[in-house]
Amino acid sequence: MLTEERSLGEGYGTLTSFVLDSAISHEVGARMRRPAVVICPGGAFLRLSHRESEPVAARFLGMGYDAFICRYPVFDEKDASREGCFPRTTVSLIRALAYVKRNASRFSIDEDRIYALGFSAGGYVALSVAELWDDPDLLAMAGATAEEVKPRGAILAYPMVSVTLAQDALRKVHDEASAAYARVQSLAIFGHEDPAPEEYEQLDLVRKVRPDMPRTFIWQTGEDSTLRVAETAAFVQKLLLAGVPCEFHLFQQGMHGMSLADETSASMPKHENARAAEWVPLVRSWLALDGRPQVVS
């Protein structure tokens, strides 16, 4: 297996690759051109979740997908510039997807089957690229083309689809600790503590659903107390109305942030839920709709 880490540019994070040997094949003398998934861990734009990084990459490797972890920029309170994460997070993933596409031959990757997978805040990053893959300003910042960037599909695990929760946090602060967290969250997202209503609207991805988005797989739990299930459902409805092929799984039980929802990624018992863990075989069969890996001579 080839493993390497590269910078996505100063201020844009890193990309770590986990690429299987293409010589592993059922046919003698043949090589595999595998599909790939670029993973964006969650962490509320304040950190990056380890549980949604390497354990997820390992699981997809086991399913025959080359895996890449995009460690996009998050808020750094020591950064004197106090620059918000946007649009750098989106540009980071754009650069990551373009890099994988440009190096598809070197990695023996099927360049037509590169997927974006995001958890929570990372789901927002993955979704932003699924919606804005041809935005000329973002592409110019990334030095990429739309053809290099548009993923074959988007996989969204308990995704953040807007920043309304940050807005609510500022409105409903009731103690010093809550107020401090709300301020940091606003700094992380916007770069300042007093965002205007139009700034929230600009980052509302429910409003930006479009018919030519890649097909989308989404899962969440009904007990998620961090991100609103109703907002996710409204997003799914927009996808359906726009004619975007999608699959949505709402599991009755389980907390936010369960990652694989089994012992592989769990750091506490509450992170394990046998029903929610079914999202992995479900997404595997959903991905299989695009066919089997290519075998080339």
Side-chain angles (χ1 to χ4, degrees), residues 9 22 27 44 56 63 72 99 114-115 117 121 135 146 150 156 167 204 211 227 256 260 263 286:
S22 63
E27 299 182 29
V56 178
M63 297 193 303
Y72 54 89
Y99 175 80
I114 301 171
Y115 303 86
L117 163 60
D135 183 280
K150 185 178 182 181
L156 310 176
Q167 185 178 32
D204 184 351
L227 295 174
H256 183 81
L260 298 173
E263 69 279 1
W286 178 83

Side-chain angles (χ1 to χ4, degrees), residues 110-188:
D110 182 349
E111 64 178 16
D112 294 322
R113 293 189 62 191
I114 301 171
Y115 303 86
L117 163 60
F119 295 84
S120 193
Y124 185 96
V125 178
L127 177 56
S128 67
V129 174
E131 293 185 343
L132 305 172
W133 54 270
D134 61 350
D135 183 280
D137 294 330
L138 294 173
L139 292 173
M141 291 177 66
T145 66
E147 291 72 22
E148 293 174 322
V149 168
K150 185 178 182 181
R152 178 65 174 265
I155 304 165
L156 310 176
Y158 39 89
M160 175 181 175
V161 295
S162 76
V163 294
T164 56
L165 287 176
Q167 185 178 32
D168 289 348
L170 282 174
R171 289 173 175 171
K172 298 177 181 178
V173 291
H174 51 80
D175 57 58
E176 187 174 338
S178 298
Y181 182 82
R183 287 195 296 270
V184 171
Q185 188 95 73
S186 291
L187 284 170

